[in-house]
Amino acid sequence: AQSVTQPDIHITVSEGASLELRCNYSYGATPYLFWYVQSPGQGLQLLLKYFSGDTLVQGIKGFEAEFKRSQSSFNLRKPSVHWSDAAEYFCAVVPLMNYGGATNKLIFGTGTLLAVQP
Amino acid sequence: DAGVTQSPTHLIKTRGQQVTLRCSPKSGHDTVSWYQQALGQGPQFIFQYYEEEERQRGNFPDRFSGHQFPNYSSELNVNALLLGDSALYLCASSLFTGGIAKNIQYFGAGTRLSVL
């Protein structure tokens, strides 16, 4: 079945430590890929996106993500986490249709809640 | 430059009632999408409006309906509310382009609906 999976529901890291949040998708064709962050009481903010080309994409707030076609993954990374990074992170896709077109909707994973220890 | 604004921020209703949520898109955007985010879940796509028409719909019953106005703002209406409709409702706006799947969606802070 088509899906977006974020296997880690909750992750705790120490401030200054590195971070990797996992995302796997299951679609016939590589979809467009996104990472969003949601802070309490806030809407979703786009961190970065991948459409095609260079498989390592840079985003805002020092985040990057790497697309790996062989693993159907789009993992989010940050070399040094700050306390302000504590939030919920969502991986999302826009599926491409078999005929080469695209849908208009974002399909989200269930999210990973990041806690940062001082 | 105002971002996506939603009103109200919180709402409490009882089962069977009807509710209307409102969304003003980011300046310059012409497309509005609505999402439902249940507690502990990722947002789920309800529908999208462009040129005052529903362009695509997710797996939601007809109790969920919407409207887009000439100024691009939008409303989400839910009839015959159920307890399971309690959720955060998010509005996202974007600018239609030829490669529509690449249009970036910008989200509002949402409306928290509680159904008692």
Side-chain angles (χ1 to χ4, degrees), chain A residues 69-116:
Chain A
R69 185 187 304 275
S70 62
Q71 298 178 18
S72 296
S73 69
F74 189 55
N75 293 348
L76 181 71
R77 302 195 294 242
K78 187 169 185 177
S80 178
V81 170
H82 188 262
W83 63 266
S84 61
D85 293 324
E88 188 151 27
Y89 292 79
F90 291 94
C91 179
V93 308
V94 169
L96 302 184
M97 307 300 286
N98 291 335
Y99 59 79
T103 65
N104 301 338
K105 59 184 179 182
L106 284 161
I107 309 295
F108 286 87
T110 52
T112 297
L113 185 62
L114 173 66
V116 180

Side-chain angles (χ1 to χ4, degrees), chain A residues 3-26:
Chain A
S3 65
V4 180
T5 303
Q6 293 181 249
D8 304 307
I9 296 173
H10 189 196
I11 284 182
T12 300
V13 300
S14 298
E15 191 168 15
S18 63
L19 171 71
E20 182 168 27
L21 303 182
R22 295 182 289 166
C23 173
N24 294 92
Y25 61 88
S26 175

Side-chain angles (χ1 to χ4, degrees), chain B residues 8 11 13 17-21 76-81 111 113:
Chain B
L11 205 49
K13 293 286 187 179
Q17 285 190 311
Q18 178 265 342
V19 68
T20 297
L21 311 181
L76 165 65
N77 301 292
V78 186
N79 295 322
L81 284 167
T111 294
L113 172 65

